[in-house]
Amino acid sequence: MRAALEAARAAGSASEVPVGAVVVRRGEIVATGANAPRGTCDPTAHAEIVAIRRAAQVLGRDRLEDCDLWVTLEPCAMCAGAIAHARIARLYWGAADHKGGAVEHGPRFFGQPTCHHRPELYGGIGESEAGALLREFFAERRR
Amino acid sequence: MRAALEAARAAGSASEVPVGAVVVRRGEIVATGANAPRGTCDPTAHAEIVAIRRAAQVLGRDRLEDCDLWVTLEPCAMCAGAIAHARIARLYWGAADHKGGAVEHGPRFFGQPTCHHRPELYGGIGESEAGALLREFFAERRR
């Protein structure tokens, strides 16, 4: 989660909402993603999607069933769907996202009968630091 | 939808599940996407995501509020989320996806309070041809 928080800080420095993600396999980082939809002109470039796409490229396959994903914010529906398609084994996330989250909020995607893979779920990991990063970012932009 | 069906056929010829998508702006095609998760080692490479990412690159922005998306199959949660993030104005789809769809099935994402943009929705456009493509593809693979 430390590496994911670093990626989140990098996103914030680039004026993107500070969310970071890391794909881990056998205890080693395969790929990192920083949230970057604005800077890359890509509405799908959430941290999770960036990290999953990179990890799949690195490993040369579209299924990452031996990989875990660490992300600083509860995934949205797009990212939860991508996590299921990628067959991620374990999902660890930091802050809860009451407005846009899709794991414990809204569609609660992994509990839907149309979800074909449910990773092990571990929320609230490093949530205070992840949440503080987001609050600071939005507080500064409101000034 | 004709162009989306062509992209779907191209996906099928490449041994991918035959789904195609097109982003249209002011009556002109901005970008086309063919489903390609296997061939590109990218679990996020559904037709909609490919088309949206390309259109955003072409237009040089991450919001496509003046664009419509045509896709041969009801979008899944990942793609429905991406459509909302991209602020697509109108969504036209072909065949219903009872197993993995997220518009009229499962999470019914665009009706969730955590969905921040709901496009106009038009289902069942060219569904017989889109559905036939999918049925033929899976029938052949079952042999």
Side-chain angles (χ1 to χ4, degrees):
Chain A
M1 189 57 84
R2 197 121 309 274
L5 284 162
E6 253 175 61
R9 267 186 289 271
S13 302
S15 301
E16 305 273 5
V17 176
V19 182
V22 173
V23 172
V24 173
R25 179 172 173 260
R26 297 180 187 166
E28 290 194 10
I29 292 176
V30 181
T32 301
N35 185 47
R38 294 292 169 86
T40 59
C41 295
D42 179 357
T44 73
H46 279 190
E48 300 93 314
I49 301 278
V50 175
I52 285 172
R53 296 182 77 225
R54 281 192 188 145
Q57 291 301 308
V58 167
L59 299 174
R61 47 185 159 94
D62 69 329
R63 296 202 169 175
L64 310 174
E65 54 271 274
D66 52 353
C67 294
D68 303 332
L69 183 80
W70 296 74
V71 55
T72 59
L73 181 67
E74 179 186 346
C76 72
M78 173 179 75
C79 293
I83 287 162
H85 291 312
R87 306 291 194 271
I88 292 287
R90 295 177 201 88
L91 170 63
Y92 302 87
W93 74 91
D97 184 354
H98 299 271
K99 288 186 185 167
V103 182
E104 295 192 324
H105 299 91
R108 290 173 173 76
F109 177 64
F110 297 119
Q112 294 285 347
T114 51
C115 172
H116 305 306
H117 170 80
R118 181 189 153 96
E120 291 177 32
L121 302 173
Y122 304 96
I125 315 290
E127 66 180 321
S128 60
E129 198 169 342
L133 267 175
L134 286 158
R135 279 190 300 277
E136 281 161 28
F137 178 82
F138 287 112
E140 264 186 37
R141 287 170 71 100
R142 257 183 237 113
R143 269 180 209 159
Chain B
M1 190 56 85
R2 199 120 311 275
L5 285 163
E6 253 176 60
R9 268 185 289 271
S13 302
S15 302
E16 305 272 4
V17 176
V19 182
V22 173
V23 172
V24 173
R25 178 171 174 263
R26 298 179 187 167
E28 291 194 9
I29 291 177
V30 182
T32 301
N35 186 45
R38 293 291 168 87
T40 60
C41 295
D42 179 356
T44 73
H46 281 191
E48 300 95 311
I49 301 278
V50 174
I52 286 173
R53 297 182 76 224
R54 281 192 189 146
Q57 292 301 308
V58 167
L59 299 173
R61 47 187 159 93
D62 68 329
R63 295 202 172 176
L64 310 175
E65 53 273 271
D66 52 353
C67 294
D68 302 333
L69 183 80
W70 296 74
V71 55
T72 59
L73 182 66
E74 179 186 346
C76 72
M78 175 178 74
C79 293
I83 287 162
H85 291 312
R87 306 290 192 270
I88 291 287
R90 297 178 201 86
L91 170 63
Y92 303 86
W93 74 91
D97 184 354
H98 299 270
K99 288 185 185 167
V103 182
E104 295 192 324
H105 299 90
R108 290 171 173 75
F109 177 64
F110 297 119
Q112 293 285 346
T114 51
C115 172
H116 305 307
H117 171 79
R118 180 188 154 94
E120 290 177 32
L121 302 174
Y122 304 95
I125 316 289
E127 66 181 320
S128 59
E129 198 168 342
L133 267 175
L134 285 158
R135 280 190 300 275
E136 282 161 27
F137 179 82
F138 287 112
E140 265 187 33
R141 287 170 70 101
R142 256 183 237 114
R143 266 179 210 160

